[in-house]
Amino acid sequence: MTTRLGLTLPQMKHYDLGKDVPDVARAAEATGFDSLWVFERALFPDPPTQGLYGVEGLAWPDSYRAVADPLVTLTLAAAVTERAELGTSVLVAPLHTPFQLAKSLATLDAASGGRVVAGLGTGWSLDEYAASSARPFEERGDALDEVIEVCRAVWGPDPVVHDGTLTRIASAVVGPKPARPIPILLAANTGRARRRLVDHADGWMPIGMGAGQLAAQWRRLQDLAAERGRTRPLRTVLRTNPRYTPKPYAGDDRRPFQGDVGQIVTDLVAHAEVGLDEIFLDLQSEVRDAEELKDVAAEVYEAARAAGV
């Protein structure tokens, strides 16, 4: 069975959002991509107060200085596409109030004809929590639990009732409802997170880490699902962040050609053999503009399909 392929939308500061997001979304769908993805980076501490991903000494990339809001970006894409799914990888759930996030996702799903995939996580940036979260960083797991609970309630039948730490709904009609149940996917890198995924989510959203390590993690998650009595299949969507050095433009001899679509496809083939449902590529930081993003994405797509991905 052919692996579904997706592409991230341009959210970073070197893009013209109003023009480039719809343009790339239309082109990706026309190329054949099955899904379009966004990520969340709320702010850029300057000077940095912690390393990237919380790793001491690891610098934040300059491209994170201005990252467009993920749901606004998906809305721009939804308006100009008809088929491609619209996914988040990931929304940092505790940075949002549970009720408003649930309603926003439901509205986008209704407007797009049932194409939203909610990839959620807890994040790692202390500065983002200080700026946005209603609960402290130490409670991020509990905050994610409440977001999932509120989403399930708000997306379900009326009257909606929920009594949680942040959200209390005595009894209310809440609409619009999603066009279909929105799948919730989680990254799940810890034991508690994996149990949360198996018990309460629809699928797994790992990051490309090498095919061998990915396969080992997938087997461990499947074993846990069996141990906990899960019978529903786990949907699997792999995020990949390929490195690509752009080709020089005509007359541009400032940098040699180092881009290697062939290597990207070789890696895709290896990861696809693990047997996950879908793989998507984040190329937006590796290219100079939307035209190059469209060109490279189309080249990778055609080569991957030719290779049997």
Side-chain angles (χ1 to χ4, degrees):
M1 180 177 178
T2 301
T3 304
R4 288 168 52 88
L5 292 176
L7 180 71
T8 55
L9 293 166
Q11 294 174 260
M12 294 177 175
K13 66 175 187 175
H14 60 292
Y15 293 103
D16 180 340
L17 298 172
K19 172 180 175 293
D20 290 345
V21 172
D23 190 29
V24 170
R26 277 190 297 257
E29 187 174 70
T31 294
F33 282 100
D34 299 291
S35 54
L36 302 168
W37 295 85
V38 293
F39 76 108
E40 183 159 41
R41 190 83 282 131
L43 50 74
F44 185 100
D46 191 13
T49 56
Q50 64 179 144
L52 185 69
Y53 312 129
V55 178
E56 185 176 357
L58 187 60
W60 290 53
D62 190 65
S63 56
Y64 280 5
R65 287 185 177 273
V67 176
D69 179 89
L71 295 185
V72 173
T73 304
L74 283 185
T75 301
L76 290 170
V80 298
T81 56
E82 297 179 353
R83 173 187 55 80
E85 285 195 309
L86 307 164
T88 62
S89 176
V90 295
L91 279 178
V92 184
L95 303 186
H96 304 263
T97 59
F99 179 82
Q100 190 56 56
L101 180 59
K103 188 171 175 68
S104 294
L105 289 168
T107 301
L108 181 58
D109 193 73
S112 65
R115 293 191 281 146
V116 171
V117 178
L120 306 179
T122 56
W124 49 268
S125 171
L126 300 176
D127 295 276
E128 289 183 338
Y129 270 77
S132 300
S133 182
R135 298 180 69 168
F137 182 77
E138 294 73 19
E139 297 177 10
R140 59 195 181 279
D142 293 336
L144 176 56
D145 287 337
E146 184 167 2
V147 167
I148 294 172
E149 292 169 1
V150 172
C151 283
R152 300 292 195 202
V154 167
W155 299 341
D158 294 319
V160 175
V161 177
H162 181 79
D163 186 10
T165 302
L166 291 177
T167 306
R168 292 180 175 84
I169 308 169
S171 180
V173 175
V174 183
K177 298 295 184 185
R180 92 299 190 219
I182 298 174
I184 294 177
L185 277 57
L186 303 177
N189 295 317
T190 67
R192 179 185 175 185
R194 285 189 287 270
R195 290 190 295 273
R196 177 189 295 115
L197 188 160
V198 166
D199 293 345
H200 302 297
D202 299 294
W204 182 43
M205 182 167 280
I207 296 177
M209 61 192 78
Q213 186 176 355
L214 177 68
Q217 289 202 9
W218 178 220
R219 287 192 297 270
R220 181 165 57 178
L221 190 61
Q222 289 175 301
D223 290 343
L224 179 63
E227 290 171 11
R228 298 182 74 82
R230 181 182 176 117
T231 56
R232 291 183 296 124
L234 284 165
R235 178 173 176 177
T236 51
V237 179
L238 173 68
R239 177 191 184 95
T240 64
N241 301 289
R243 298 305 304 269
Y244 176 83
T245 301
K247 301 175 184 179
Y249 292 132
D252 179 1
D253 59 359
R254 291 171 296 175
R255 59 195 305 177
F257 168 60
Q258 295 178 2
D260 190 349
V261 167
Q263 184 59 56
I264 293 174
V265 173
T266 297
D267 291 340
L268 283 175
V269 170
H271 283 78
E273 289 175 350
V274 175
L276 305 189
D277 300 318
E278 182 168 353
I279 302 173
F280 73 90
L281 305 113
D282 188 347
L283 293 163
Q284 64 176 309
S285 64
E286 301 295 310
V287 297
R288 289 167 290 198
D289 55 32
E291 289 302 315
E292 192 167 47
L293 176 57
K294 291 187 296 181
D295 290 345
V296 174
E299 187 178 355
V300 171
Y301 181 89
E302 295 301 333
R305 289 308 189 208
V309 177

